[in-house]
Amino acid sequence: QVRLMESGGGSVQPGGSLRLSCTASGHTTSSGCMAWFRQAPGKEREVVASVDYDDTKTIADSFKGRFTISQDNTGNTLFLQMNLLKPEDTAMYYCAADRTHRKWCLLVSEYTYTYWGQGTQVTISS
């Protein structure tokens, strides 16, 4: 019953920034996990960042210092601020929600996330 929709993707030059948004509609997802994933061509999907039910925010190690995750007051809109973008950041970025888990969301398997957006393409090139 939860619908997720990403926006904010696009094409930027290396070193640039993008702010992705994910808006949830339908039943609230704020009581569970929300996360950003990405998948580059030929590579496995990987988790980027997550927000626990208690507003704990976690960034995967490889993205610390460049990416930050945040949300609005309701918890129904998720943001991913991406700075100092590199060509290797080129990927389809997805937001996901899981109401069956609520803590340590970065460690939750992608296969347990119930709801997914359609993805938004991020392309970094000169």
Side-chain angles (χ1 to χ4, degrees):
Q1 293 183 337
V2 176
R3 303 183 189 92
L4 304 175
M5 181 172 290
E6 304 93 339
S7 63
S11 298
V12 297
Q13 295 182 331
S17 298
L18 282 173
R19 189 193 192 200
L20 307 183
S21 299
C22 173
T23 299
S25 60
H27 198 76
T28 181
T29 61
S30 62
S31 62
C33 290
M34 294 193 72
W36 284 99
F37 292 83
R38 76 178 190 183
Q39 187 167 27
K43 295 187 177 181
E44 295 182 349
R45 186 157 51 201
E46 61 180 334
V47 65
V48 176
S50 66
V51 179
D52 295 357
Y53 84 103
D54 60 355
D55 203 36
T56 298
K57 301 174 179 64
T58 309
I59 305 293
D61 287 344
S62 59
F63 305 105
K64 290 180 178 177
R66 295 195 301 126
F67 292 6
T68 57
I69 189 170
S70 61
Q71 60 184 351
D72 68 351
N73 292 333
T74 68
N76 289 326
T77 300
L78 194 66
F79 304 99
L80 182 67
Q81 179 68 45
M82 305 186 295
N83 301 320
L84 298 172
L85 287 163
K86 306 173 182 178
E88 51 263 42
D89 293 319
T90 296
M92 184 73 77
Y93 286 72
Y94 301 90
C95 67
D98 180 11
R99 296 185 68 247
T100 66
H101 296 80
R102 61 176 184 169
K103 296 179 65 176
W104 300 289
C105 296
L106 195 74
L107 303 179
V108 175
S109 170
E110 64 176 288
Y111 301 108
T112 70
Y113 277 84
T114 306
Y115 305 102
W116 293 82
Q118 84 289 347
T120 185
Q121 179 67 42
V122 172
T123 302
I124 315 301
S125 63
S126 59

